[in-house]
Each structure stands twice: as C-alpha cells, then as structure tokens.
Amino acid sequence: MLLLINKVQLVSFHLEGIALQWLRWLTKFQGPLTWIELTKALLLRFGPTNYEDPLEALTRLKQTSIVATYQQVFKMRSHRGGGLPEIT
C-alpha cells in the first residue's frame, strides 16, 4: 500500500521542542495548514526580524558547553544568515 503524505505532515514529523509545540498550537486554532501558510507562519514566528541581524548574532556566539551543542547553534544561526557554506 502506498502511503501518501503531504509536505506539511512531513515537516511536522521533523519538528521538536518549541517549534513542535508552536505547530500543534497553531493547527489547533487554525486547523490544517497548506504548505504556503506553513512556510509563511514559520518565517513569521522563527525567522529573523527587521531588528535582528543573523550574521551579527553568529559573531557573538561563544562555546559554553560541549562542541556538539556549539556546532548545532552555529549551524542554526548560519542557516538564518544565508550565503555561508555548509559545515559538516
């Protein structure tokens, strides 16, 4: 049997923490979302604001715990800034 799943469901499987809680809250009050609605809502909630410079935030990043945690935060911030090469 072929299992059909849409992009919104696929994204929801990969969210965790505050992002997953936010999506559950959003769909509870707005109902099912289309892909366009979800991407716009995600950018509004978690994207950079007009007052935030993601690359500047990256320059202030300090390692305060294990390297894996630092790398995770670095990747998150570098993706928000755009234009930086992928790190492995």
Side-chain angles (χ1 to χ4, degrees):
M1 178 170 78
L2 178 63
L3 177 63
L4 297 177
I5 188 164
N6 67 36
K7 288 191 271 187
V8 174
Q9 289 174 316
L10 186 60
V11 166
S12 71
F13 293 147
H14 293 281
L15 293 179
E16 57 186 37
I18 192 74
L20 181 58
Q21 292 172 0
W22 168 82
L23 182 60
R24 287 178 179 161
W25 172 86
L26 185 65
T27 55
K28 179 179 179 179
F29 291 101
Q30 289 191 0
L33 300 170
T34 66
W35 178 247
I36 302 262
E37 291 169 336
L38 176 62
T39 55
K40 285 181 181 180
L42 278 167
L43 285 173
L44 258 172
R45 175 63 178 89
F46 297 103
T49 68
N50 292 334
Y51 307 105
E52 178 183 340
D53 180 1
L55 292 179
E56 190 271 332
L58 185 59
T59 65
R60 289 186 284 113
L61 180 62
K62 304 277 189 266
Q63 181 181 346
T64 58
S65 64
I66 63 172
V67 173
T69 301
Y70 174 81
Q71 287 177 319
Q72 181 181 10
V73 174
F74 182 91
K75 283 183 180 183
M76 180 186 70
R77 289 186 184 180
S78 65
H79 289 285
R80 292 179 98 188
L84 296 175
E86 177 70 28
I87 62 170
T88 56

